[in-house]
Amino acid sequence: MSRSSISSEVGCFCQMGHSVGAVPQSPIEKNERWTMSVTKLVENKSEIESAAEYAPLVTIYADASCIRNGAIDSSAGCGVVMLDHNRLEVKLVSKYLGQITNQQAEILACTYALEQLRRYCRIGIVSDSRYVIDTMMGRNHMRANRSFWSRLVKACYGHHVSWRWIKGHSGVQFQEVADRLARAAARICCDVSEADMEQLGGLLYHGSDRLDIREFEMKLEMILAQYESSHRSFVPAAKFDGMGTLPSAFSA
């Protein structure tokens, strides 16, 4: 896909509201209560006539890390926290991306997250990468990394996506989790298994609206130590169990 084609598609998204959408103007609270709109959504689920009409409300926190950025032996990873607000469901991703640059990894972090979705969703993507957010908002041209941008644009098809930039390490805890997951994959040079991600995900929501980042970091460090010491092989875990009657954003 040519640069002009990609740029024009992003422009169309801006006009149709499919990619840029309405970006919230209020700042994200440091201890964001991601369940704040869930009660109303769950109360209204009886109004949904069929699963085909249902559009989950999803927030994605995406981040990337690149060790020795720009060097021939670089190691990049991405971390993603995906929240299905309607079902109070959390999905974590810690994926190794290989020897690419930090900018490319930031693009792939958002792309890979979107590619996990199995149905039409209303999505808010949160990233500390101005490079990604400004480009997808149409403020920058896609001059470099065109194949990466093309994949991201295609991943937006079929969804209503809005984009929000936040300052890195500003106390937004789910973004901090994404940061730790990205660093983890870059460090061990492999994906962290779904089984380990589910175990970590259990620390993020258990009836409380607050996250103990230190507890998360300690558990993640224990997992990474096992990877580094044994180099064990992993079998992908089963998908999330069903919760309630609403279909998941993360499975067909």
Side-chain angles (χ1 to χ4, degrees), residues 225-240:
Q226 293 177 341
Y227 278 73
E228 293 175 325
S229 63
S230 63
H231 302 284
R232 57 192 170 98
S233 299
F234 301 97
V235 177
K239 295 180 179 180
F240 283 90

Side-chain angles (χ1 to χ4, degrees), residues 57-73:
L57 180 62
V58 175
T59 300
I60 294 172
Y61 296 84
D63 207 349
S65 175
C66 185
I67 300 172
R68 299 178 296 277
N69 184 38
I72 194 171
D73 60 342

Side-chain angles (χ1 to χ4, degrees), residues 107-221:
I107 300 170
L108 283 181
C110 298
T111 303
Y112 190 76
L114 288 166
E115 290 174 348
Q116 304 309 297
L117 300 172
R118 297 295 178 260
R119 64 181 68 250
Y120 164 72
C121 297
R122 296 163 293 158
I123 306 163
I125 296 184
V126 182
S127 171
D128 62 5
S129 170
R130 283 198 180 275
Y131 177 62
V132 170
I133 299 301
D134 285 353
T135 302
M136 293 307 292
M137 291 288 289
R139 301 184 186 118
N140 294 337
H141 295 294
M142 298 176 180
R143 295 189 176 91
N145 302 315
R146 284 181 286 174
S147 63
F148 292 86
W149 290 121
S150 176
R151 182 176 169 184
L152 176 54
V153 168
K154 288 179 180 178
C156 291
Y157 289 157
H159 301 292
H160 185 287
V161 186
S162 62
W163 301 86
R164 176 186 280 186
W165 176 83
I166 59 170
K167 183 179 180 181
H169 308 293
S170 57
V172 179
Q173 298 201 26
F174 287 123
Q175 191 67 26
E176 295 295 333
V177 170
D179 171 78
R180 305 305 191 275
L181 295 176
R183 294 187 188 195
R187 169 179 157 186
I188 63 176
C189 297
C190 69
D191 299 354
V192 180
S193 75
E194 288 187 29
D196 288 328
M197 290 292 92
E198 287 191 28
Q199 187 178 10
L200 287 168
L203 300 175
L204 299 189
Y205 182 75
H206 44 78
S208 170
D209 64 345
R210 300 180 73 87
L211 165 67
D212 184 350
I213 190 68
R214 285 300 302 151
E215 181 184 4
F216 178 88
E217 289 176 329
M218 290 171 62
K219 185 61 179 179
L220 178 59
E221 186 59 35

